[in-house]
């Protein structure tokens, strides 16, 4: 016959000054037993959010084998902070006739009132745990928005160095020259249309180029190439992540083309979609970027179109997707196919909220033909630039681009207010939107005029070549040409307005 013993259980999550040590817990519990013999069970470094702890599980097994008559703990939450787990434990104690004692809270589980008090206390213990979790989440979210390095694996090509930001000790990424050169080479190679991930991997193997002593594989290379930590954050990066649905923390004026970026998973976001950026947090980081925005974006779009590594949200119906907007309020136009031969653009805001009267019947094939012809006209007028030298960035041009982005943001905010607005607010918002749109057109024209000298001969040659071979180039190349030439397209059934970059 087994002799039933008293058991003492102690748990400590981590070593810190405000957490009572396991040794102290044991002493308190032994005092409760008044010096009697007992068996000790201790778990150090384990949280109380569940019961997946080795010594605790051993205690459960010993109870089930009839070896334990009483369990003593320093405090209730040493057992568990989950009411569900604790209820299961109480059921186990009752089934095997085991007494439960909290040495600091003095519970008597032999009475209904004692059991009720236990349940009340465990509810508050769980509430405390959930409150702590929320504080941690809020702190994480706040630090993300300020551009703090939030832990995790240090991206290849960088090292961490201590820095003080807003009076807080943290760490900042600093490029390691040799590794950074490898990163830049990988991006430059993949930006070339005909270069595949496999080509780069093979080249690195042949040249003996290793990443932290290991030969890089295609999945790792793909992951590296889509990481915005390497991109120099300018207005093109700003526009890309904005159109992809990311929550952009910084103002457009912060995207100066120097710093890198961080992309954090947003509050409450849980997605397995590889390319989805919806509600993720995008912030300009304090470190210096390694790769120019045009190279990074070329790689990103190429990856999104890659059949092996591509995502579920890439455009497939029209190469105008992402650029074409409603000519009334500027909302996105969505592709709608009526039958085998007819497809139209429809204002997304009109379809979803009825807050826009829409731009009328806009046929996809007619808009595509018009935009192509107008791009050809634009390039014909622009051919003289093929012999010019690529000029340095114009500060005035950068300022105009920043102002344009700010105006577009203000228009979007006003459009959002139209949902459920009363007539007075609706009238004000419409008037303000018209005023801002006039300013937007003026800025776009000024940018187009000023941008002419900033286009390199190589860009002109590449775009012209694609336009001359339009029927034979790929869908993605058509998108790249449009992206290189146009900021946006505003369309109604009567008017199509293309806002060019140069």
């Amino acid at each position: 016959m087994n002799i039933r013993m008293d058991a003492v259980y102690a748990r400590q999550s981590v070593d810190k000054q405000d957490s009572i040590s396991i040794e102290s817990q044991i002493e308190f519990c032994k005092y409760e037993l008044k010096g009697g013999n007992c068996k000790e069970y201790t778990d150090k470094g384990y949280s109380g959010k569940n019961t997946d702890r080795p010594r605790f599980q051993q205690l459960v097994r010993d109870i089930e084998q009839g070896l334990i008559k009483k369990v003593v703990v320093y405090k209730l939450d040493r057992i568990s902070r989950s009411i569900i787990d604790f209820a299961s434990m109480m059921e186990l104690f009752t089934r095997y006739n085991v007494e439960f004692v909290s040495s600091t809270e003095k519970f008597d589980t032999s009475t209904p009132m004692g059991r009720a008090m236990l349940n009340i206390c465990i509810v508050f213990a769980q509430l405390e745990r959930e409150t702590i979790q929320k504080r941690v989440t809020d702190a994480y979210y706040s630090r993300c928005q300020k551009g703090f390095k939030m832990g995790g694996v240090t991206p290849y090509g960088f090292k961490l160095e201590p820095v003080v930001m807003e009076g807080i000790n943290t760490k900042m990424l600093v490029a390691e020259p040799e590794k950074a050169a490898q990163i830049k080479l990988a991006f430059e190679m993949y930006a070339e249309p005909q270069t595949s991930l496999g080509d780069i991997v093979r080249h690195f193997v042949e040249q003996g180029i290793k990443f932290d002593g290991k030969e890089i594989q295609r999945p790792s290379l793909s992951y590296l190439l889509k990481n915005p930590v390497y991109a120099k954050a300018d207005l093109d990066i700003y526009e890309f992540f904005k159109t992809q649905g990311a929550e952009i923390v910084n103002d457009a004026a912060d995207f100066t083309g120097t710093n890198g970026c961080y992309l954090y998973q947003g509050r409450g976001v849980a997605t397995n979609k590889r390319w989805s950026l919806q509600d993720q947090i995008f912030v300009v980081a304090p470190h210096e970027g390694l790769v120019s925005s045009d190279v990074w974006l070329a790689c990103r779009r190429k990856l999104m179109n890659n059949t092996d590594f591509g995502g579920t949200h890439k455009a497939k119906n029209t190469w105008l997707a992402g650029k074409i907007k409603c000519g009334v309020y500027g909302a996105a136009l969505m592709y709608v196919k009526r039958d085998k031969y007819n497809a139209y653009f429809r204002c997304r805001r009109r379809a979803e909220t009825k807050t826009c009267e829409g731009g009328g019947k806009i046929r996809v094939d007619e808009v595509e033909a018009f935009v192509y012809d107008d791009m050809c006209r634009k390039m014909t007028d622009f051919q003289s630039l093929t012999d010019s030298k690529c000029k340095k960035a114009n500060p005035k041009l950068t300022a105009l681009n920043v102002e344009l982005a700010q105006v577009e943001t203000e228009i979007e905010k006003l459009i959002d207010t139209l949902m459920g607005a009363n007539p007075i607010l609706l009238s004000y918002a419409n008037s303000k939107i018209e005023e801002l749109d006039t300013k937007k057109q003026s800025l776009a024209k000024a940018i187009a005029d000023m941008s002419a000298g900033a286009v390199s001969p190589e860009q002109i040659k590449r775009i012209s070549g694609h336009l001359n071979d339009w029927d034979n180039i790929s869908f993605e190349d058509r998108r790249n040409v449009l992206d290189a030439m146009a900021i946006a397209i505003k369309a109604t059934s009567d008017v199509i307005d293309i806002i060019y970059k140069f």
Side-chain angles (χ1 to χ4, degrees):
M1 180 177 179
N2 291 329
I3 300 176
R4 300 177 73 201
M5 297 184 61
D6 294 333
V8 169
Y9 179 76
R11 176 187 65 79
Q12 185 183 22
S13 296
V14 291
D15 289 315
K16 53 184 181 179
Q17 293 180 351
D18 60 350
S19 175
I20 186 167
S21 68
I22 282 182
E23 293 74 18
S24 296
Q25 292 179 46
I26 295 292
E27 289 303 317
F28 270 97
C29 294
K30 285 185 174 179
Y31 179 80
E32 183 69 29
L33 292 172
K34 303 191 185 316
N37 292 330
C38 63
K39 187 172 182 179
E40 298 176 10
Y41 301 83
T42 61
D43 283 314
K44 193 166 188 176
Y46 288 89
S47 170
K49 65 182 180 181
N50 57 51
T51 58
D52 188 18
R53 291 165 255 143
R55 292 297 293 163
F56 183 81
Q57 292 300 323
Q58 182 61 54
L59 171 60
V60 171
R61 288 192 293 269
D62 288 348
I63 289 173
E64 292 172 340
Q65 292 175 15
L67 303 178
I68 306 300
K69 66 177 180 180
K70 180 188 291 186
V71 174
V72 183
V73 295
Y74 167 73
K75 194 177 178 181
L76 186 63
D77 63 6
R78 298 303 88 193
I79 286 283
S80 177
R81 283 185 170 144
S82 164
I83 191 169
I84 295 176
D85 289 338
F86 190 78
S88 298
M89 283 305 304
M90 287 305 300
E91 182 182 346
L92 180 71
F93 293 159
T94 302
R95 189 186 321 140
Y96 290 96
N97 195 26
V98 174
E99 297 178 26
F100 174 72
V101 177
S102 170
S103 62
T104 58
E105 293 154 328
K106 304 301 181 187
F107 292 116
D108 181 2
T109 59
S110 65
T111 67
M113 184 58 71
R115 289 191 292 272
M117 288 300 296
L118 271 175
N119 286 332
I120 291 172
C121 287
I122 199 65
V123 166
F124 280 99
Q126 181 171 346
L127 176 62
E128 180 187 10
R129 178 172 66 87
E130 292 175 354
T131 301
I132 291 171
Q133 287 177 334
K134 187 176 186 306
R135 285 201 298 268
V136 171
T137 300
D138 289 345
Y140 180 90
Y141 186 76
S142 176
R143 288 168 69 89
C144 286
Q145 291 183 313
K146 294 176 181 178
F148 283 61
K149 180 71 176 69
M150 298 305 295
V153 177
T154 303
Y156 187 81
F158 292 103
K159 61 181 178 180
L160 289 175
E161 288 190 358
V163 66
V164 177
M165 294 177 59
E166 299 188 10
I168 298 174
N169 292 321
T170 182
K171 292 184 179 180
M172 184 177 76
L173 298 177
V174 176
E176 295 187 273
E178 185 176 342
K179 293 181 178 180
Q182 296 173 359
I183 294 292
K184 293 176 184 177
L185 176 60
F187 274 98
E188 289 167 0
M189 290 182 68
Y190 195 65
E192 293 297 323
Q194 303 306 316
T195 304
S196 68
L197 294 171
D199 292 335
I200 299 174
V201 170
R202 285 188 290 274
H203 175 78
F204 282 2
V205 170
E206 291 170 0
Q207 297 298 316
I209 299 174
K210 295 186 177 182
F211 287 64
D212 286 332
K214 298 179 181 178
E215 294 178 352
I216 194 167
Q217 302 297 315
R218 291 172 72 242
S220 300
L221 180 60
S222 172
Y223 180 81
L224 181 151
L225 290 171
K226 73 175 186 178
N227 193 340
V229 75
Y230 301 111
K232 294 183 177 181
D234 62 6
L235 287 172
D236 288 335
I237 294 289
Y238 171 87
E239 289 293 341
F240 174 80
F241 281 92
K242 182 179 178 182
T243 58
Q244 294 295 308
E247 178 187 336
I248 300 180
V249 173
N250 300 83
D251 187 78
D254 294 333
F255 288 76
T256 59
T258 301
N259 295 72
C261 325
Y262 289 144
L263 183 66
Y264 298 117
Q265 182 163 299
R267 193 194 303 262
V269 175
T271 177
N272 293 321
K273 296 177 181 178
R274 183 186 298 271
W275 298 105
S276 174
L277 300 179
Q278 192 67 37
D279 297 323
Q280 296 196 32
I281 303 169
F282 186 75
V283 60
V284 175
H287 70 270
E288 186 174 339
L290 299 181
V291 181
S292 64
S293 64
D294 57 337
V295 171
W296 189 91
L297 288 169
C299 292
R300 176 75 170 201
R301 294 191 175 103
K302 188 175 176 181
L303 282 168
M304 293 173 73
N305 197 47
N306 189 304
T307 55
D308 291 330
F309 296 93
T312 58
H313 290 285
K314 62 178 182 289
K316 58 182 179 180
N317 295 313
T318 173
W319 47 273
L320 299 176
K323 290 289 184 181
I324 190 160
K325 310 291 181 182
C326 175
V328 182
Y329 288 135
L333 291 181
M334 58 184 186
Y335 179 95
V336 179
K337 190 167 186 177
R338 299 295 187 194
D339 53 49
K340 183 177 180 181
Y341 304 102
N342 297 290
Y344 301 89
F345 286 118
R346 186 182 183 191
C347 175
R348 184 176 295 279
R349 186 165 293 277
R350 174 167 177 77
E352 295 177 353
T353 67
K354 306 297 183 186
T355 54
C356 177
E357 58 265 36
K361 193 174 183 179
I362 310 172
R363 291 182 60 95
V364 173
D365 55 352
E366 292 176 355
V367 178
E368 287 184 337
F370 178 88
V371 172
Y372 168 68
D373 289 341
D374 201 69
M375 288 193 301
C376 290
R377 177 199 60 78
K378 184 71 172 178
M379 288 306 300
T380 299
D381 296 341
F382 217 70
Q383 285 301 315
S384 60
L385 292 175
T386 55
D387 296 326
S388 67
K389 294 183 180 180
C390 184
K391 298 183 180 180
K392 294 182 178 179
N394 187 333
K396 293 183 179 179
L397 179 60
T398 300
L400 286 174
N401 276 303
V402 168
E403 190 175 358
L404 178 62
Q406 291 171 330
V407 168
E408 289 176 337
T409 299
E410 192 170 348
I411 290 174
E412 289 180 2
K413 290 179 180 177
L414 282 169
I415 290 175
D416 289 338
T417 67
L418 296 179
M419 299 174 62
N422 60 45
I424 296 176
L425 181 58
L426 192 63
S427 174
Y428 168 79
N430 284 332
S431 174
K432 189 66 175 176
I433 288 172
E434 289 179 5
E435 177 187 330
L436 289 169
D437 189 63
T438 301
K439 184 176 182 180
K440 176 181 174 181
Q441 301 303 322
S442 175
L443 287 168
K445 185 178 184 307
I447 289 170
D449 294 340
M450 195 175 294
S451 297
V455 183
S456 69
E458 291 76 14
Q459 287 177 299
I460 298 298
K461 183 177 180 180
R462 183 166 58 251
I463 294 171
S464 298
H466 282 324
L467 288 172
N468 293 333
D469 194 32
W470 194 253
D471 291 336
N472 298 317
I473 66 174
S474 68
F475 179 87
E476 189 61 24
D477 281 340
R478 292 185 179 189
R479 285 178 55 77
N480 289 337
V481 169
L482 178 65
D483 186 60
M485 294 186 66
I487 296 171
I489 302 167
K490 299 185 69 174
T492 67
S493 56
D494 301 319
V495 178
I496 299 174
D497 181 23
I498 304 173
I499 305 171
Y500 287 102
K501 292 183 177 180
F502 52 82

